[in-house]
Amino acid sequence: MIKRNGKWLVVAMALLCILVACSAKDDAQNASQKENIEPAQTASTEVTIENNDTTQVYAEAPKKAISLNQHVTEIMLALGLEDSMVGTAYLDDQIYEPLQAAYDKVPVLAEQYPTKEQIIDSEADFLYAGWKSGFSEKGVGTPEELEALGIHTYLHTSSSITKPTLDDIFTDIRNIAKIFRVDERGEALIQQMTADVDAVRAKLPQSEQNLRVLVYDSGDKEVFTAAQNFMNELVTVAGGTNIFGDIESGWTTVSKEATVERNPEVIVVIDYGSQTAEDKIHFLKNDPALKETTAVKNERFVILPLSAASEGVRAAEAIEILAKGFYPENF
């Protein structure tokens, strides 16, 4: 009996040694596989964005972002990024009402562009400008200067090119969503905007002859108007024809004579600043030349806030406002 127990004890010890050796081998293999996998996972989390003649590499999502213009502020808020923001600036008018509660959580750093000192004090790691002026010497500094301070920058591309389209806005939204690792939110926002635009388009008259439209920003001696900027896209999608859409420029100045000659049927009045939309309409009705246009004679005016006319999340709403003003009988 004693010999038999001793024999089984030897066998048991041998089996235990084999199991320990196998376990150690498996652990070594797992560790080796983990070493092979982890670098790939780390690399995949990096986001590289080409923007404004710079290459920005994001090892992680920014945590202390500042938005520098209203329409890009609204994009960040629409993506639910208010908790990643340490500041905002430069409103054109009231913030988009559905985003007001989120906006109230973000500190307002300045009425216009904040100073470099304010940016440094906020420990910002990301700056998002809507206009080129944001990253100029008169703004907060150049991307190169800010990069030297360890601050990433993004310039809203659709606000910086000629003839921007809705797809260009969607590209900006996707880039911001990618940078902040909220890709699904970005796609959901784009899908909603697309659906809203499609719903408006479905109500437009199926006519080959679109209404002739003048976009009136300002001007008393001449007319400051939209050529091939985003207003051209908004007017077109809403079923109109921008009468100065053939000019290769963004915003441009034209003569009253040229305006009367092209004879708009509807005038879109851009609302912002100290001069109200009502003041602008009063001017148009009383100007000796412009009051002769069909639009003024028929009092066909559509008021559009500047913030809605920018390349942002209000694009679908802007198209609806224009379409209802152009073809009220269809809505």
Side-chain angles (χ1 to χ4, degrees):
M1 292 290 295
I2 295 174
K3 288 182 180 179
R4 184 179 297 174
N5 288 341
K7 180 179 179 181
W8 283 110
L9 179 62
V10 171
V11 172
M13 290 180 66
L15 288 170
L16 180 63
C17 290
I18 292 170
L19 290 171
V20 169
C22 290
S23 177
K25 182 179 179 182
D26 289 342
D27 288 344
Q29 288 177 339
N30 290 338
S32 176
Q33 290 174 353
K34 187 176 181 182
E35 288 176 1
N36 290 333
I37 292 172
E38 283 183 343
Q41 290 175 333
T42 300
S44 67
T45 61
E46 285 189 347
V47 171
T48 301
I49 301 290
E50 301 287 340
N51 177 260
N52 199 23
D53 297 326
T54 67
T55 300
Q56 304 278 330
V57 179
Y58 297 83
E60 60 181 0
K63 297 180 175 62
K64 295 184 176 182
I66 296 175
S67 58
L68 299 174
N69 299 102
Q70 180 167 344
H71 59 302
V72 298
T73 296
E74 292 180 349
I75 284 177
M76 292 198 69
L77 298 179
L79 290 172
L81 297 173
E82 59 270 19
D83 291 338
S84 299
M85 299 173 68
V86 294
T88 185
Y90 227 135
L91 285 187
D92 297 309
D93 49 50
Q94 294 297 313
I95 203 74
Y96 192 29
E97 195 277 330
L99 303 174
Q100 184 67 54
Y103 177 78
D104 290 341
K105 296 179 182 179
V106 183
V108 177
L109 301 182
E111 289 187 6
Q112 297 185 1
Y113 292 127
T115 65
K116 285 184 183 178
E117 289 73 20
Q118 287 176 304
I119 290 171
I120 293 171
D121 288 345
S122 69
E123 300 181 345
D125 57 5
F126 179 80
L127 298 180
Y128 185 10
W131 310 112
K132 288 182 178 180
S133 58
F135 294 137
S136 68
E137 292 299 333
K138 293 182 179 180
V140 298
T142 66
E144 292 76 17
E145 292 171 339
L146 295 163
E147 185 72 19
L149 296 172
I151 303 173
H152 288 294
T153 59
Y154 188 91
L155 176 64
H156 202 56
T157 302
S158 54
S159 295
S160 308
I161 59 176
T162 303
K163 299 180 71 173
T165 66
L166 286 167
D167 285 339
D168 293 317
I169 297 177
F170 295 159
T171 296
D172 280 318
I173 290 173
R174 285 193 175 97
N175 282 343
I176 297 301
K178 185 177 180 182
I179 289 169
F180 283 87
R181 279 60 168 183
V182 291
D183 300 67
E184 290 185 0
R185 296 184 203 172
E187 291 306 316
L189 177 58
I190 291 168
Q191 288 176 14
Q192 184 60 59
M193 291 175 65
T194 301
D196 291 343
V197 172
D198 288 345
V200 174
R201 279 176 159 162
K203 296 180 181 181
L204 294 175
Q206 302 302 309
S207 172
E208 296 181 2
Q209 190 66 38
N210 292 339
L211 287 171
R212 300 186 305 276
V213 179
L214 167 69
V215 177
Y216 179 75
D217 178 280
S218 56
D220 51 5
K221 293 181 173 55
E222 293 182 298
V223 175
F224 189 58
T225 187
Q228 293 181 6
N229 61 20
F230 189 53
M231 277 304 310
N232 188 66
E233 169 85 345
L234 293 176
V235 168
T236 301
V237 176
T241 297
N242 176 13
I243 61 172
F244 291 109
D246 59 329
I247 297 177
E248 294 185 3
S249 179
W251 291 98
T252 189
T253 300
V254 298
S255 68
K256 292 180 183 178
E257 292 75 18
T259 303
V260 173
E261 182 180 348
R262 299 193 182 198
N263 192 24
E265 297 170 277
V266 181
I267 297 178
V268 177
V269 178
I270 306 299
D271 189 14
Y272 70 98
S274 58
Q275 187 182 25
T276 67
E278 289 72 21
D279 290 338
K280 294 178 181 181
I281 291 173
H282 178 77
F283 164 75
L284 292 167
K285 286 182 176 180
N286 290 277
D287 182 81
L290 298 175
K291 70 179 183 180
E292 297 302 320
T293 61
T294 299
V296 176
K297 286 180 178 179
N298 293 334
E299 297 193 11
R300 296 289 307 277
F301 302 104
V302 182
I303 298 174
L304 189 69
L306 177 61
S307 52
S310 302
E311 298 82 356
V313 297
R314 299 199 208 187
E317 183 183 71
I319 291 168
E320 183 176 17
I321 291 171
L322 294 177
K324 286 182 176 179
F326 296 170
Y327 306 103
E329 65 279 3
N330 288 64
F331 291 86

